[in-house]
């Protein structure tokens, strides 16, 4: 079952996250403790071997090997951080994409409830059957990707027994041969049944039918995307690279991070602490990171934090049938609301939230910005464009010094150039270029 702790961290307070560190279900300790104990056991074996079981000559050979391994664990020879960080980021994006692609019937049931009419038995049957087909499609696709749903519905007969499909529909489904997954067939039944409802005027116009088809296609697209997420995984070679990088790194650490005799004066071996605290922390972080990637790469398994697919199936069938059946045209009588006669009214607060009502409403970040007198002073732009230093004749067609620029647009360029003296051509060309821009 998904572990939720959002209520416990709703408010930021001292030690807010520290309470979460002692949880076992869904924790990193539960995922990692076996690997952690194995690493500690191997490290302890080499430590005891070095200290108690080897001869002085053999200890010298072991120390040389330890120093050789240590130089690779303290450099970027094995880029654990890079490959592991990118891998977990990629896996997280994939995890979120799978969550958002889960087919929820909410939009579809609203459209069915509002556009498939009829309070009689036929209308009720049409609406319920349409939503049953939609939920059947999600069950079929989840049987293909989720181990929990597969265990709940191991065969199609179990799906029939659960009420998602009739025996006759099962025979039709099995009689239609296809080498590929047939999760889309109930959605085809949905489309055909919606067209029949249009012929019976249960769907009253083509616009409503088009709305039904659009929501059906959106629902089908999510089912298809879920199937493709299960089909196309993160390339195996990258998963292998990450796993080998982490395991090889700590395989070198069990030898290279051994505490050597301080009496021999090896560099960085002046203390003999027996327990490699920082190496164990490094293993906990790196191997835990790898476990996180392993956990979220496929959220349709049976881990503590995997998606509750069976509960989602129960929720979807219940709310969809409630929306299209019990709630169809089941409206409360129209009444004047409590504030009908009040032009200005306020909503009451409880005592514990009364302070929120005293806060001024946010009107924008610049609403209370202070202004100087210079900011408030207006400066009106001039309507003319004086031509300083020009000797153009100010008597020809308004193309004169001091004339406004808009008047220049009414004169063809060739006429303007004909009225300009030869020595004034550069200035005239500059005027034309300015006005054109």
């Amino acid at each position: 079952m998904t572990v939720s702790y959002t209520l416990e961290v709703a408010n930021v307070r001292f030690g807010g996250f520290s309470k979460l560190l002692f949880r076992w279900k869904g924790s990193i300790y539960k995922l990692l403790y076996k690997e952690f104990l194995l690493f500690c056991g191997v490290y302890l074996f080499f430590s005891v071997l070095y200290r108690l079981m080897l001869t002085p000559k053999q200890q010298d050979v072991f120390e040389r090997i330890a120093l050789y391994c240590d130089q690779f664990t303290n450099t970027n020879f094995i880029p654990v951080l890079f490959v592991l960080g990118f891998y977990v980021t990629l896996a997280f994006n994939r995890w979120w994409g799978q969550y958002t692609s889960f087919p929820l019937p909410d939009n579809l049931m609203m459209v069915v409830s509002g556009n498939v009419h009829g309070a009689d038995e036929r209308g009720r049957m049409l609406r319920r059957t349409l939503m049953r087909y939609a939920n059947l499609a999600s069950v079929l696709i989840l049987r293909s990707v989720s181990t929990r749903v597969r265990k709940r519905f191991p065969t199609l007969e179990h799906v029939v027994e659960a009420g998602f499909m009739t025996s006759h529909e099962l025979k039709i489904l099995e009689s239609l041969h296809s080498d590929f997954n047939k999760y889309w067939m109930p959605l085809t039944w949905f489309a055909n049944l919606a067209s029949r409802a249009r012929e019976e005027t249960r769907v009253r116009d083509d616009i409503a039918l088009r709305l039904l088809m659009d929501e059906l296609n959106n629902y089908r697209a999510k089912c298809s995307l879920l199937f493709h997420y299960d089909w196309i995984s993160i390339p195996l070679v990258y998963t292998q690279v990450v796993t080998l990088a982490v395991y090889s790194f700590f395989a070198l650490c069990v030898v290279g991070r051994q505490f050597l005799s301080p009496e021999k004066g090896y560099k960085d071996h002046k203390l003999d602490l027996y327990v490699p605290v920082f190496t164990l922390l490094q293993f906990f972080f790196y191997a835990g990171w790898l476990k996180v990637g392993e956990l979220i790469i496929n959220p349709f398994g049976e881990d503590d934090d995997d998606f509750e697919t069976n509960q989602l199936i129960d929720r979807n069938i219940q709310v969809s049938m409630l929306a299209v059946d019990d709630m169809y045209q089941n409206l409360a009588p129209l009444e004047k609301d409590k504030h009908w006669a009040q032009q200005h009214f306020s909503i009451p607060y409880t005592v514990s939230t009364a302070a929120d009502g005293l806060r001024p409403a946010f009107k924008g970040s610049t609403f209370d910005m202070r202004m100087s007198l210079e900011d408030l002073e207006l400066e009106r732009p001039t309507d003319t464009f004086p031509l300083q230093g020009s000797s153009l004749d100010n008597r020809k067609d308004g193309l004169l010094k001091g004339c406004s620029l808009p008047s220049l647009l009414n004169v063809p360029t060739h006429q303007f150039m004909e009225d300009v003296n030869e020595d004034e051509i550069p200035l005239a060309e500059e005027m034309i270029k300015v006005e054109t821009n």
Side-chain angles (χ1 to χ4, degrees), residues 103 105 108 128-144 149 153 155-156 158-166 169-170 173 181-190 219 223 313 316-317 320-321:
L108 192 58
R128 290 182 64 92
T129 303
L130 288 172
M131 292 314 303
R132 184 167 57 81
Y133 286 160
N135 283 277
L136 173 60
S138 67
V139 170
L140 293 181
I141 190 61
L142 288 173
R143 285 183 71 249
S144 305
V149 179
F153 305 109
T155 64
L156 291 179
H158 290 81
V159 178
V160 174
E161 183 66 26
F164 289 98
M165 183 167 44
T166 65
E169 290 167 351
L170 175 59
L173 188 69
N181 195 310
K182 296 189 282 188
Y183 69 90
W184 51 270
M185 287 186 178
L187 300 179
T188 306
W189 295 343
F190 184 107
Y219 189 83
C223 291
I313 289 175
N316 291 343
I317 189 64
S320 59
M321 291 303 179

Side-chain angles (χ1 to χ4, degrees), residues 30-41:
K30 185 177 180 180
L31 288 177
L32 192 61
Y33 78 94
K34 293 181 180 179
E35 288 84 352
F36 187 79
L37 292 177
L38 178 62
F39 179 79
C40 292

Side-chain angles (χ1 to χ4, degrees), residues 50 59-75 252-261 264-270:
Y50 165 68
Q59 286 181 345
D60 184 65
V61 175
F62 181 87
E63 291 165 354
R64 293 176 183 272
I65 296 175
L67 293 173
Y68 181 75
C69 294
D70 187 47
Q71 68 177 338
F72 293 109
T73 61
N74 291 323
T75 62
L252 295 175
C253 284
V254 294
V255 176
R257 299 291 177 85
Q258 292 289 335
F259 287 101
L260 304 181
S261 175
K264 297 187 178 181
Y266 293 117
K267 183 180 179 181
D268 299 329
H269 287 275
K270 298 180 181 180

Side-chain angles (χ1 to χ4, degrees), residues 29-163:
Y29 318 120
K30 185 177 180 180
L31 288 177
L32 192 61
Y33 78 94
K34 293 181 180 179
E35 288 84 352
F36 187 79
L37 292 177
L38 178 62
F39 179 79
C40 292
V42 175
Y43 184 91
L44 178 62
F45 169 77
F46 281 103
S47 180
V48 172
L49 180 69
Y50 165 68
R51 298 172 186 275
L52 303 177
M53 302 178 65
L54 297 181
T55 63
K57 185 176 181 180
Q58 292 173 335
Q59 286 181 345
D60 184 65
V61 175
F62 181 87
E63 291 165 354
R64 293 176 183 272
I65 296 175
L67 293 173
Y68 181 75
C69 294
D70 187 47
Q71 68 177 338
F72 293 109
T73 61
N74 291 323
T75 62
N76 292 325
F77 180 78
I78 302 178
V80 180
L81 279 176
F82 173 75
V83 297
L84 191 55
F86 185 78
Y87 181 78
V88 174
T89 302
L90 185 63
F92 178 80
N93 292 334
R94 176 184 172 87
W95 174 84
W96 183 252
Q98 291 179 86
Y99 171 74
T100 55
S101 64
F102 195 90
L104 297 174
D106 297 54
N107 292 344
L108 192 58
M109 72 187 186
M110 296 300 178
V111 176
V112 170
S113 180
N115 293 279
V116 182
H117 300 282
D120 57 345
E121 185 176 350
R122 174 65 177 174
R124 181 188 179 194
M125 186 181 299
L126 283 172
R127 290 189 298 274
R128 290 182 64 92
T129 303
L130 288 172
M131 292 314 303
R132 184 167 57 81
Y133 286 160
N135 283 277
L136 173 60
S138 67
V139 170
L140 293 181
I141 190 61
L142 288 173
R143 285 183 71 249
S144 305
V145 303
S146 174
T147 56
R148 289 180 176 177
V149 179
R150 188 69 178 191
K151 289 182 177 180
R152 183 180 183 182
F153 305 109
T155 64
L156 291 179
E157 284 74 14
H158 290 81
V159 178
V160 174
E161 183 66 26

